[in-house]
Amino acid sequence: EVQLVESGGGLVQPGRSLKLSCAASGFTFSNYGMHWIRQAPTKGLEWVASISPSGGSTYYRDSVKGRFTISRDNAKSTLYLQMDSLRSEDTATYYCATPNYPGVSADWFAYWGQGTLVTVSS
Amino acid sequence: DTVLTQSPALAVSPGERVTISCKASESVSTRMHWYQQKPGQQPKLLIYKASNLASGVPARFSGSGSGTDFTLTIDPVEADDTATYFCQQSWNGPNTFGAGTKLELK
């Protein structure tokens, strides 16, 4: 059974940093592109960042470029999101997600974690 | 980015047929996917590539459309279908999601 378990969320002041983790199990992690998607309170879903199976390629939405860094440790089957210079508009539940097929791209997201809440506020 | 427009809310009675629409600001071919999200839970994939039923999803759910106009149909609706339904496109640039349609049962 595929499982994705996020951690690391919490309350942080504007301008500070936070690092999220997503522990994966039930599939060959190193074969799958991984993705972070967020959802602001009572709002819709927004793709944040993606990383290729090897970790050699990364992609970001414009509003987080230069502030967020996606990375992975295939030996630990863990995905990360380093978030620096946080802003109030980054407040959201952050989900890690992956499609049900190997490779870099993601057309659809078949597996989602339960999410971790990040609140940016003074 | 491609904008996906959904109606904000619908209310139907159990046993009825409901259609939830999603209109794209530009063609997305058939790269439209649908998710169900219940309060406090993560999204769940229902339909991929416009009309393909995801594994384990009841056959009451179906999807159709291509280009800019897509529909998710639930027939018949059950009480457990109370949720918000999101569409997502993966054809143009970054994946984008609709704002969601909240389905309530009368």
Side-chain angles (χ1 to χ4, degrees), chain A residues 24 27-35 51-55 72-75 77 98-106:
Chain A
F27 64 106
T28 306
F29 182 75
S30 59
N31 287 348
Y32 288 74
M34 295 297 297
H35 313 269
I51 188 167
S52 63
S54 68
R72 63 192 296 160
D73 185 336
N74 285 344
S77 294
T98 193
N100 53 351
Y101 53 85
V104 177
S105 65

Side-chain angles (χ1 to χ4, degrees), chain B residues 26-74:
Chain B
E26 57 188 325
S27 176
V28 299
S29 184
T30 56
R31 290 301 200 268
M32 185 66 78
H33 324 291
W34 291 92
Y35 300 85
Q36 176 193 65
Q37 186 178 34
K38 297 181 179 180
Q41 296 185 17
Q42 68 268 54
K44 172 187 176 183
L45 178 69
L46 297 176
I47 300 288
Y48 64 97
K49 287 196 293 185
S51 60
N52 296 277
L53 198 64
S55 178
V57 175
R60 303 183 291 104
F61 293 88
S62 63
S64 64
S66 65
T68 61
D69 294 290
F70 296 85
T71 299
L72 172 70
T73 300
I74 311 173

Side-chain angles (χ1 to χ4, degrees), chain A:
Chain A
E1 179 192 6
V2 172
Q3 283 200 321
L4 300 171
V5 180
E6 301 95 336
S7 60
L11 175 63
V12 61
Q13 293 179 328
R16 304 297 291 265
S17 299
L18 205 60
K19 187 172 186 176
L20 306 183
S21 299
C22 170
S25 60
F27 64 106
T28 306
F29 182 75
S30 59
N31 287 348
Y32 288 74
M34 295 297 297
H35 313 269
W36 287 101
I37 296 165
R38 68 185 178 185
Q39 185 172 32
T42 69
K43 298 291 185 182
L45 297 157
E46 185 176 78
W47 168 78
V48 175
S50 299
I51 188 167
S52 63
S54 68
S57 297
T58 57
Y59 310 88
Y60 302 92
R61 69 178 301 104
D62 287 346
S63 61
V64 308
K65 279 181 185 174
R67 300 189 300 121
F68 288 13
T69 303
I70 188 173
S71 63
R72 63 192 296 160
D73 185 336
N74 285 344
K76 295 183 177 179
S77 294
T78 302
L79 175 71
Y80 302 102
L81 186 67
Q82 175 68 45
M83 303 185 294
D84 299 324
S85 303
L86 282 162
R87 306 168 180 168
S88 59
E89 55 264 36
D90 296 318
T91 294
T93 295
Y94 285 73
Y95 296 99
C96 64
T98 193
N100 53 351
Y101 53 85
V104 177
S105 65
D107 271 313
W108 59 88
F109 303 100
Y111 302 111
W112 298 66
Q114 85 289 349
T116 187
L117 178 61
V118 174
T119 303
V120 184
S121 176
S122 54

